[in-house]
Amino acid sequence: MTAAMIVAGVVIFLLLAVPLIVQVITAFRGPFLPFGVASAQWGVSNFVTLWELREDFWSVLGATGAFVGGSTLLSLLMAFGLAWVTVRTDFPFRRVIGVLVIVPYIIPPIVKAQAYLLMVSPETGVLNQLLRLLPWTGDVPIDPYAFGTLILIQALTNVTFPYLMIVPILTNMDGSLEESARASGASWGETLRRVTLPMLWPGLLGVAVLTFILGLGSLEVPLLFGQESGRSIFALKLWTLISSNAGELPQYGLAAAWGLVFLVITTIAFAVYLRATRNAERRASVSGKGFRPTTMKLGAWRIPVAIGVAIFILLTAVLPLFALFWAAITPYPIAFSFTALVEQTQFGSFAAVLADGEFWASLGRTLVIAGGSATIACVAATVLAYGIARSTSTWWTRAVDLFASSSVAIPATIAGFAMFLLFMVINPVIPIAGTVLALVIAYSYRVSIAYRASYSATLQIRTELEEAALTSGASRLATFRRVIAPLLLPTVLAVWIQVFILGTNEFTLPAFLATPESRPLSMYVYAMINPRSAQLYAPDQGAAMALVFTLLVFLIGYGLQWAVSLRAIGRAKRRPGLPGLGSRSGKPPVAPAPDTISIAAQEHQEHRARTKLRTPDAAGSERSVSRS
Amino acid sequence: MTTQTTDAQRGGGLLVVENLQKHYELDGAEVPVVKGVDFTIEPGTFYSLLGPSGCGKTTTLRCVAGLETSNGGSIRLDGDVLSTGDRHVPPNKRDVGMVFQNYAIWPHMTVFQNAVFPLQVSGGRLPKAQARKRAMEALELVQLDHLAERPATALSGGQQQRLALARALAHRPRLLLLDEPLSNLDAKLRDTMRTELRSLQRSLGISALYVTHDQSEALSMSDRVAVMNGGRIVQEASPRELYDRPADRFVADFVGRVNMIPAVVRDRDEHGDAVVEAFGTRMVTPCPGGVVRGEEVTITFRPESIRWHETAPADRPNVLPARVVRVEFLGEIVEYEAEVLHGGTTVGRLTARGAPMASPREGAEVFLELAPHACRVLVDDPVG
Ligand SMILES: Nc1ncnc2c1ncn2[C@@H]1O[C@H](COP(=O)(O)OP(=O)(O)OP(=O)(O)O)[C@@H](O)[C@H]1O
Ligand SMILES: [Mg+2]
């Protein structure tokens, strides 16, 4: 058991720490690769260069701050509003809306970015076309390469992530605290401002930080829009620095110095996040009793809310899919019109995609990479999380715990770049740079998602269940195999699916790591729509492929989830626990649906599980945690 | 007689715990929790650890189970060393069965799978058919055999409790450990289970170590009871002895309810009786040796040993005039509080209990009689 834990710990160390260490070394040992090249020497020359180019540095910092900060703020506002409407109001159809809002989550980010690019195209974009119908707009209502557009689109691309984290925060709020404010005569607005938001804000701050880090790590929108916008955003900067210009050695050292600066920024943000969630735990209003958030009556506000929600769904689901579909059935970019619909449409692009061998090959690679990395991440994370959750808390276990949770603090851009450096450095000895194996390893860096989930799931399994096995004569290993593993399995499967879907959607990591021989589907789609990739450029086929890609992710991901839930239902049928009398002692953690897992929610559950553990004899506190 | 021997061979282990010590580390500091506990459980006896919350009962039990590693002292079962200060047999090699307070029934298994588990794992692995037979036997013992194929979570609280017991007994351990197994059940069920558990233990002849903070549970079920306080055993005795002759104020107070009255010894005779002065009245009470005239002591007696009379009974010692100030109907009994009167003024309060049939009225002036044999003199005052 201990040996397995050590192995898992080492795997996670290799995944998270080693690439970053290599990056730090490269930053101080440039200008090219730190080892195996004659020019490498210790020094701060990379930082000196960074300083010499400080105008560039400040402009990148400013643009990145405005881009990531602005889009984070915007998406948080949208997410909070939507979450509030779906959870806390009497808005009609809020269940349906709750589902529709999640639709963009299943569209791979690169596909979303591509769809927005099509939507806001000056002449042919459907969004511009629609906006031209309004009396007060000009010829090009939305300039695709304006900085504001960039921010808005980034916000729309990522909005589902904060939404999914805010929903559980709102759901788990103790309604009685608000009710007492209402009873003291406060209006809804005052209650929101004086009670609800102050109570929620640590949780919301945590969500903000994670959204911010996600934003720093996403390359899709900057890559598709930013190159033309003239503003240099960090993700793009890093990516350009390592793609060598003709005849020049790529400036890895300088890029590493850049990466380091941003790693410091995200570390600070992560520290803020940790503080915020710690406070959230302390403030958590989860009393366990009277657990029923009250709903707000919308009244006359129903109409403006409905309009807002409709616009949101139009912008994030309907129009993107429509734009893609339109692009796929037209031979070259043309504006939508009924004449065009009748005369110009063709479905050859779909046939071409299905006949394309490279499409199937990259699909296969996507599945291998996503599946392999999800497996590595889940197995290592579960074993380590179990060990840490069950050991007495010392500074050492706390350090391991923090470390294993830290990948959420590493933007995918930095992870991708650091992995890239690592594979370059070890290439003379272990030549895997640019291979599918390298991608499997790199994708596994999202191990913390699995770690946090297994950690909270372990805390929910009461130690007595294990001790009962030990005193029954079972060895540690048998206890794990026969008691712990079956109880953890639903959670682990759900997380596996989540990491798997993240993997199929992944774009930033392969952008840094993949070669045409190893590229997954997301990169192949990008190659099709990138005008610079001369032979492959075929926007209609790219759009068709994007749609097929989305459909496949949907089918595979949700097919898996369906299979798992069928299994769970089958179990539940065999196990019709009587509420109240049922297994207070060890209800298996109910598998959260992959798309509703969020770190905030997990921290929350974990907190409840922990408080439960602290007072094992208080029957009152033993209410099932599985509700959240 | 023959069955007695086989039963003992099958179940009864001799547990010897000597000078057991355990401390927890909390923020770098050592918190002693068990501070040198000694006890011996004779084969086939039912032994209880009784004490207030936090006194270290569970910790002691878990040290015996091997779920905690003790820091000192030794634990031996039938002569096999289970724990010394530095060597510990892991829990799965100790041949004990344990019942947890919250049952710890595995929710992903059926009733049968729960019960057969100890017979499938390394500790007590048996061939399949035999394991099945044994597990069903264990379920029969607790009358759950008809529910064998049910999911374990589809049981009521009492049934889960019995399943936990069956699981703990399935591999026929030498020692059964129980940590407040009845505390999650409702009062009625608790009484039933108490009787069932006791008769089951007796018929199997297994040794049992039972942890509880409920004195009536400990007194009604046990052969021997050890009262713990602050990590130490303060008295070990049979239930009767514990009740009748508590060693100190703490035990007297914790085991049942008790009246404690300060008194001064006025006289004593060679039979071990003494005359003490309390409430300004001279009273006769048994008295341990070593107590001398003039010494200040505490006399104790149980509320239920007090009898009341409407008129002063003639020729009886230890009769006190009193006024009833509170009468509380508790169901099977009535508890009343009385102010003891002396020369028209109140000199103290007593709590008494009696049958509801004949209880005094509130405000009534009565005479309380404390039979001398029900009184005890306590000299030491370790807790007070
Ligand atoms: N892991 C731990 N770390 C530090 N102190 C502990 C730990 N577990 C228990 N204690 C302390 O040890 C003491 C004894 O605990 P134990 O559980 O043995 O009490 P108990 O007699 O079983 O009480 P109860 O009747 O409430 O179950 C308590 O004061 C408790 O606070
Ligand atoms: Mg206890």
Side-chain angles (χ1 to χ4, degrees):
Chain A
M1 221 39 240
T2 325
M5 253 184 78
I6 291 172
V7 171
V10 168
V11 167
I12 292 176
F13 181 76
L14 289 178
L15 285 176
L16 293 184
V18 173
L20 293 184
I21 291 170
V22 171
Q23 186 194 322
V24 173
I25 294 176
T26 312
F28 288 100
R29 214 178 134 83
F32 178 51
L33 276 178
F35 304 108
V37 285
S39 61
Q41 54 187 345
W42 290 103
V44 291
S45 60
N46 294 316
F47 292 93
V48 172
T49 319
L50 202 61
W51 184 246
E52 280 164 359
L53 303 171
R54 59 184 168 277
E55 273 178 28
D56 182 36
F57 178 77
W58 293 123
S59 85
V60 171
L61 212 58
T64 309
F67 173 72
V68 181
S71 60
T72 300
L73 197 66
L74 208 56
S75 58
L76 274 180
L77 285 177
M78 290 192 284
F80 186 80
L82 279 169
W84 189 269
V85 169
T86 49
V87 176
R88 304 294 308 273
T89 67
D90 62 348
F91 190 69
F93 318 120
R94 54 185 188 282
R95 268 168 215 283
V96 179
I97 305 228
V99 174
L100 282 181
V101 165
I102 302 177
V103 168
Y105 199 57
I106 59 173
I107 308 177
I110 181 65
V111 173
K112 270 188 274 189
Q114 175 193 2
Y116 284 117
L117 193 60
L118 293 169
M119 269 163 69
V120 298
S121 156
E123 271 91 48
T124 60
V126 61
L127 188 57
N128 272 327
Q129 229 185 322
L130 278 177
L131 288 176
R132 271 198 290 270
L133 297 177
L134 298 174
W136 62 85
T137 50
D139 275 351
V140 181
I142 294 185
D143 172 5
Y145 301 117
F147 198 52
T149 314
L150 208 65
I151 293 176
L152 176 69
I153 285 172
Q154 171 75 5
L156 287 174
T157 317
N158 283 346
V159 65
T160 331
F161 177 75
Y163 171 79
L164 289 175
M165 289 201 294
I166 293 175
V167 163
I169 297 181
L170 289 184
T171 317
N172 292 339
M173 228 182 102
D174 185 352
S176 64
L177 295 173
E178 286 177 324
E179 276 166 358
S180 56
R182 297 275 287 145
S184 342
S187 68
W188 261 111
E190 285 165 334
T191 307
L192 184 67
R193 209 178 63 244
R194 306 261 313 263
V195 175
T196 314
L197 284 180
M199 245 165 56
L200 292 181
W201 99 265
L204 294 181
L205 183 63
V207 176
V209 169
L210 292 184
T211 313
F212 183 84
I213 293 172
L214 176 78
L216 266 185
S218 51
L219 179 62
E220 298 87 352
V221 173
L223 189 60
L224 261 60
F225 290 80
Q227 281 173 308
E228 319 291 333
S229 78
R231 299 279 204 124
S232 196
I233 291 159
F234 168 66
L236 195 56
K237 178 83 190 170
L238 201 59
W239 189 76
T240 11
L241 275 175
I242 66 158
S243 2
S244 49
N245 296 330
E248 269 179 54
L249 276 182
Q251 295 171 289
Y252 296 145
L254 185 59
W258 268 106
L260 206 57
V261 170
F262 276 87
L263 196 60
V264 169
I265 295 176
T266 57
T267 308
I268 294 169
F270 187 57
V272 170
Y273 165 77
L274 287 180
R275 278 204 77 87
T277 46
R278 238 209 351 250
N279 282 338
E281 284 189 355
R282 216 174 290 139
R283 278 208 216 183
S285 60
V286 191
S287 59
K289 292 199 186 79
F291 206 78
R292 183 178 47 87
T294 45
T295 52
M296 181 169 111
K297 303 234 174 342
L298 278 178
W301 281 92
R302 200 174 287 187
I303 311 287
V305 167
I307 293 175
V309 170
I311 291 179
F312 180 83
I313 290 174
L314 205 64
L315 280 181
T316 54
V318 179
L319 288 183
L321 290 176
F322 172 80
L324 281 174
F325 192 68
W326 181 251
I329 60 173
T330 47
Y332 51 90
I334 39 175
F336 176 81
S337 67
F338 287 99
T339 12
L341 180 63
V342 176
E343 290 169 8
Q344 305 248 1
T345 52
Q346 35 92 19
F347 288 84
S349 55
F350 287 101
V353 166
L354 297 181
D356 180 2
E358 180 56 18
F359 165 74
W360 293 108
S362 55
L363 175 65
R365 287 192 291 266
T366 305
L367 298 182
V368 168
I369 297 166
S373 60
T375 308
I376 293 179
C378 284
V379 171
T382 307
V383 173
L384 189 67
Y386 170 74
I388 295 294
R390 281 292 187 257
S391 46
T392 46
S393 168
T394 60
W395 71 268
W396 204 83
T397 57
R398 281 196 292 271
V400 173
D401 179 54
L402 185 66
F403 173 72
S405 317
S406 68
S407 81
V408 289
I410 308 173
T413 35
I414 291 180
F417 172 64
M419 288 279 183
F420 169 82
L421 284 179
L422 171 66
F423 294 132
M424 293 296 279
V425 167
I426 62 171
N427 207 40
V429 192
I430 313 169
I432 55 167
T435 62
V436 167
L437 180 61
L439 287 173
V440 171
I441 295 171
Y443 279 38
S444 309
Y445 108 96
R446 297 211 191 265
V447 62
S448 299
I449 299 173
Y451 176 81
R452 299 287 349 146
S454 315
Y455 186 83
S456 15
T458 308
L459 286 188
Q460 288 176 52
I461 300 175
R462 301 193 59 145
T463 42
E464 285 91 339
L465 293 181
E466 285 175 76
E467 290 172 353
L470 288 175
T471 54
S472 298
S475 63
R476 284 235 150 242
L477 200 66
T479 304
F480 187 81
R481 204 171 50 78
R482 303 258 331 249
V483 175
I484 302 303
L487 291 174
L488 278 181
L489 197 63
T491 308
V492 175
L493 281 180
V495 174
W496 190 92
I497 295 174
Q498 192 202 8
V499 179
F500 177 80
I501 293 181
L502 271 178
T504 56
N505 288 353
E506 187 64 64
F507 178 78
T508 309
L509 292 175
F512 280 93
L513 293 164
T515 60
E517 287 71 43
S518 64
R519 74 178 155 214
L521 201 45
S522 57
M523 288 304 289
Y524 190 45
V525 169
Y526 173 67
M528 288 247 154
I529 60 168
N530 179 11
R532 290 184 190 79
S533 53
Q535 313 99 344
L536 279 176
Y537 182 59
D540 61 329
Q541 214 173 312
M545 196 181 293
L547 283 172
V548 176
F549 181 23
T550 306
L551 190 68
L552 284 174
V553 172
F554 178 78
L555 289 181
I556 295 170
Y558 289 78
L560 284 174
Q561 201 194 331
W562 183 68
V564 168
S565 60
L566 269 193
R567 217 185 90 105
I569 291 169
R571 277 269 192 82
K573 278 213 184 110
R574 276 188 280 125
R575 194 198 300 163
L578 302 175
L581 297 173
S583 72
R584 277 234 197 101
S585 43
K587 193 160 278 180
V590 166
D595 51 15
T596 55
I597 284 186
S598 63
I599 288 166
Q602 285 162 24
E603 298 290 343
H604 197 75
Q605 285 193 346
E606 197 177 298
H607 161 66
R608 297 170 83 189
R610 226 183 275 148
T611 37
K612 188 168 91 174
L613 286 187
R614 275 196 209 113
T615 54
D617 292 316
S621 70
E622 278 178 33
R623 303 181 97 243
S624 156
V625 197
S626 55
R627 252 214 274 186
S628 52
Chain B
M1 193 60 223
T2 2
T3 53
Q4 198 67 36
T5 351
T6 40
D7 276 350
Q9 279 167 354
R10 187 167 115 192
L14 170 72
L15 181 79
V16 181
V17 174
E18 276 172 349
N19 192 26
L20 183 71
Q21 318 240 357
K22 170 75 192 169
H23 56 75
Y24 288 111
E25 312 260 326
L26 215 58
D27 300 325
E30 281 185 9
V31 186
V33 169
V34 177
K35 306 165 185 168
V37 160
D38 299 276
F39 60 92
T40 299
I41 304 183
E42 298 293 338
T45 53
F46 196 107
Y47 192 100
S48 289
L49 289 177
L50 173 67
S53 183
C55 68
K57 310 178 294 285
T58 298
T59 308
T60 307
L61 185 85
R62 289 169 60 85
C63 286
V64 174
L67 296 170
E68 301 285 353
T69 51
S70 54
N71 302 108
S74 70
I75 302 171
R76 271 170 296 150
L77 182 59
D78 286 342
D80 306 333
V81 177
L82 297 186
S83 271
T84 57
D86 48 7
R87 226 167 42 78
H88 302 277
V89 176
N92 51 324
K93 304 225 165 74
R94 290 198 172 197
D95 193 19
V96 296
M98 180 152 172
V99 179
F100 293 80
Q101 181 173 5
N102 55 27
Y103 323 139
I105 296 298
W106 298 307
H108 58 296
M109 300 183 187
T110 63
V111 170
F112 175 76
Q113 284 167 338
N114 264 282
V116 82
F117 182 91
L119 306 169
Q120 293 174 329
V121 289
S122 53
R125 181 172 291 134
L126 287 180
K128 209 166 170 187
Q130 215 174 330
R132 185 175 174 83
K133 194 166 148 279
R134 279 272 199 95
M136 286 312 288
E137 275 172 26
L139 287 176
E140 261 165 52
L141 278 181
V142 297
Q143 295 136 39
L144 278 182
D145 43 327
H146 62 293
L147 298 179
E149 294 313 318
R150 274 246 190 124
T153 46
L155 292 182
S156 73
Q159 288 168 335
Q160 291 195 22
Q161 184 61 74
R162 280 192 247 147
L163 174 55
L165 188 58
R167 183 178 65 188
L169 293 172
H171 58 298
R172 298 186 183 171
R174 285 176 287 178
L175 177 65
L176 182 61
L177 304 171
L178 308 108
D179 188 2
E180 311 209 17
L182 307 183
S183 63
N184 277 349
L185 304 178
D186 63 62
K188 188 92 183 166
L189 193 54
R190 192 152 47 203
D191 286 348
T192 327
M193 281 299 294
R194 197 189 277 181
T195 329
E196 277 183 28
L197 185 57
R198 176 60 169 142
S199 63
L200 191 61
Q201 179 267 339
R202 208 170 265 170
S203 68
L204 293 178
I206 187 174
S207 310
L209 176 55
Y210 189 93
V211 159
T212 180
H213 63 255
D214 181 330
Q215 46 111 357
S216 62
E217 226 168 82
L219 297 185
S220 65
M221 298 171 80
S222 320
D223 295 311
R224 303 286 294 173
V225 180
V227 181
M228 279 187 80
N229 187 27
R232 292 199 175 83
I233 292 183
V234 286
Q235 186 177 8
E236 196 227 63
S238 71
R240 189 78 224 192
E241 201 181 332
L242 202 65
Y243 195 80
D244 291 343
R245 287 194 290 281
D248 60 20
R249 287 180 77 126
F250 174 79
V251 177
D253 201 25
F254 191 77
V255 181
R257 306 202 45 181
V258 71
N259 289 293
M260 294 199 205
I261 300 160
V264 180
V265 180
R266 291 294 173 213
D267 199 4
R268 56 169 313 159
D269 66 12
E270 64 282 8
H271 307 302
D273 288 345
V275 176
V276 299
E277 189 179 317
F279 297 133
T281 311
R282 294 198 160 222
M283 304 214 287
V284 181
T285 166
C287 184
V291 176
V292 295
R293 201 174 296 178
E295 195 170 331
E296 294 189 359
V297 293
T298 304
I299 57 171
T300 65
F301 47 89
R302 303 279 175 198
E304 52 273 29
S305 64
I306 299 179
R307 276 193 285 161
W308 69 279
H309 306 275
E310 279 178 21
T311 53
D315 309 332
R316 303 267 187 93
N318 301 0
V319 175
L320 300 165
R323 184 190 304 118
V324 178
V325 291
R326 184 180 59 84
V327 178
E328 200 174 335
F329 176 63
L330 298 176
E332 291 145 38
I333 50 159
V334 162
E335 186 172 287
Y336 51 98
E337 209 171 291
E339 286 175 353
V340 182
L341 304 171
H342 183 71
T345 55
T346 306
V347 288
R349 273 174 176 251
L350 290 181
T351 307
R353 289 179 156 193
M357 303 300 151
S359 79
R361 249 187 306 280
E362 234 167 65
E365 303 225 339
V366 297
F367 293 89
L368 301 181
E369 180 195 350
L370 315 175
H373 64 85
C375 297
R376 295 255 313 145
V377 168
L378 292 180
V379 191
D380 59 330
D381 197 3
V383 190

